[in-house]
Amino acid sequence: MQTRLLPPTPEALGLAARLIRDGALVAFPTETVYGLGANALDEEAVRSIFAAKGRPGDNPLISHIAHMDQLGPLIAADPAPAAVKLMDACWPGPLTLIFPRSKRIPDAVTAGLDTAAVRMPSHPVARALIERAGVPIAAPSANRSGRPSPTTAGHVLEDMDGRIPLILDGGPCDVGLESTVVDFKDGVPRILRPGGVTREMIADIAGDCLVDGAVMRPLKEGERPRSPGMKYRHYAPKGALTLFAGHSADVAARIRREYDAARLEGHSPLILALEGDLPLYGERRTLSMGRDAHEAAQRIFAALRDADQLQADVLFAEAVTTDGIGLAVMNRLGRAAAFHIEQV
Ligand code: AMP
Ligand code: MG
């Protein structure tokens, strides 16, 4: 199959909407990362998402809507009061909510769970595509399973060339990390996956916010996570990654030592550091994570792809603060490092 890469002109959006209605896959930009979309109500189309990504069938998908009228048919009961507050305040935006599901959603979307994940994205191209297709669009990140999520159309092409007919190129993604996933099983919002809508924002809006324990640690033997995606080692770079947390001068001193020792052992190490810390590493090979946690969110997936291109076999990264969007950055970095985090 030939993969076309097109800017989101009205003609390209018309073609994309037709492809979705015909049961084909289209990659499209959202404010979080690029999504790989199919008609969420078409079981066979949804199955082809799993095939194109190599995604395990027990990892459910998020359904994307453009209007509130599209929510009702997907869910089984009225949303909890906290969910209503969050939708009012954060939709459209990078927030996914978990609801009891209706029978209209195929099992392939929810991986057989009795709940469904729904999000209303804010990206104009994503919204235009959903509107024109006239159906909710099920879409995971448009990477091959286990690869960092794509934040540019070029990343999508790297992973999906020849597997899907069309990629809409809307430029780099704004947030750079996948949406915040929240459930309400305890009556209180609980973050299953941190993202652009932060714990602090949710607590402000809904009065309270829990963070699931599995966000910042590996799963225990036999543990069944609330979010099946937590089971899988995502975003894994080819090199072995270790994170270092502490005061920046101490962290830099430790990373310099580790880097130099790795070089002596014949490795090809690479350092991921905040922009302001780069001078601390002298001539050593570094990639910038940007100036702060917000920029780190935008850049981290591209940096992990770059690390592979540079053939780094050992990676050392500075931890960032877990405040605000920093929690999402540390969750992704932590998982890329299999939670190998050292306190300096
Ligand atoms: P992705 O689409 O690749 O960003 O992944 C979607 C994420 O949402 C995965 O981590 C899923 O485990 C999670 N998810 C989707 N549906 C549900 C659900 N019904 N309950 C809990 N987590 C879900
Ligand atoms: Mg993904």
Side-chain angles (χ1 to χ4, degrees), residues 55 59-62 98 113 115-117 139-141 178 181 192-193 226-229:
R55 181 175 175 109
N59 193 3
L61 307 180
I62 297 168
I98 309 291
L113 297 177
T115 51
S141 49
E178 306 87 341
V181 177
L192 306 184
R193 176 177 75 184
R226 289 197 186 210
S227 172

Side-chain angles (χ1 to χ4, degrees), residues 52 142-145 147-148 150 154-161 163 305:
N143 50 288
R144 290 276 297 162
S145 216
R147 296 262 295 152
H155 294 162
V156 180
L157 194 64
E158 270 171 33
D159 284 16
M160 291 294 159
D161 197 10
R163 294 176 180 274
R305 281 175 183 261

Side-chain angles (χ1 to χ4, degrees), residues 22-319:
D22 290 347
L25 304 183
V26 174
F28 61 99
T30 81
E31 69 277 21
T32 60
V33 300
Y34 274 74
L36 181 61
N39 177 355
L41 304 177
D42 178 342
E43 175 122 47
E44 210 176 309
V46 169
R47 285 195 194 288
S48 63
I49 292 179
F50 287 84
K53 279 182 62 89
R55 181 175 175 109
D58 66 350
N59 193 3
L61 307 180
I62 297 168
S63 298
H64 294 73
I65 60 174
H67 295 294
M68 284 313 276
D69 341 344
Q70 290 180 302
L71 178 65
L74 302 179
I75 65 178
D78 285 340
V84 173
K85 282 188 192 163
L86 287 171
M87 288 187 283
D88 283 348
C90 303
W91 277 7
L95 177 69
T96 295
L97 302 180
I98 309 291
F99 300 101
R101 71 181 272 213
S102 86
K103 298 272 181 294
R104 300 267 303 266
I105 309 185
D107 279 345
V109 174
T110 63
L113 297 177
D114 54 7
T115 51
V118 186
R119 175 165 106 81
M120 186 189 289
S122 64
H123 196 293
V125 174
R127 296 177 63 78
L129 177 61
I130 300 163
E131 261 166 41
R132 283 187 169 223
V135 290
I137 294 185
S141 49
N143 50 288
R144 290 276 297 162
S145 216
R147 296 262 295 152
S149 298
T151 53
T152 66
H155 294 162
V156 180
L157 194 64
E158 270 171 33
D159 284 16
M160 291 294 159
D161 197 10
R163 294 176 180 274
I164 59 174
L166 177 62
I167 303 169
L168 293 173
D169 184 351
C173 298
D174 205 22
V175 179
L177 298 176
E178 306 87 341
S179 58
T180 309
V181 177
V182 171
D183 84 1
F184 301 92
K185 277 203 180 123
D186 316 295
V188 176
R190 172 188 292 257
I191 293 180
L192 306 184
R193 176 177 75 184
V197 171
T198 64
R199 166 181 46 180
E200 293 85 344
M201 289 159 73
I202 293 171
D204 251 12
I205 295 158
D208 206 352
C209 179
L210 307 172
V211 177
D212 198 80
V215 163
M216 278 312 294
R217 62 162 169 79
L219 289 178
K220 296 169 192 153
E221 186 75 25
E223 180 177 355
R224 256 186 72 200
R226 289 197 186 210
S227 172
M230 288 176 169
K231 275 195 303 221
Y232 299 102
R233 181 160 179 238
H234 280 278
Y235 330 120
K238 291 185 187 123
L241 170 64
T242 309
L243 311 183
F244 296 91
H247 290 297
S248 77
D250 302 334
V251 164
R254 173 70 185 276
I255 290 180
R256 286 195 302 264
R257 280 206 306 282
E258 298 278 349
Y259 181 104
D260 295 344
R263 278 298 298 270
L264 282 175
E265 287 168 18
H267 287 294
S268 187
L270 177 68
I271 298 166
L272 302 179
L274 288 172
E275 186 97 21
D277 294 336
L278 293 180
L280 300 173
Y281 298 103
E283 298 295 293
R284 296 171 186 82
R285 198 163 62 144
T286 54
L287 278 181
S288 172
M289 296 195 291
R291 283 169 298 186
D292 51 26
H294 177 75
E295 285 191 8
Q298 291 173 329
R299 286 188 189 197
I300 196 64
F301 286 141
L304 292 173
R305 281 175 183 261
D306 290 347
D308 282 350
Q309 296 254 293
L310 292 168
Q311 311 214 314
D313 62 350
V314 201
L315 290 117
F316 305 112
E318 296 178 348

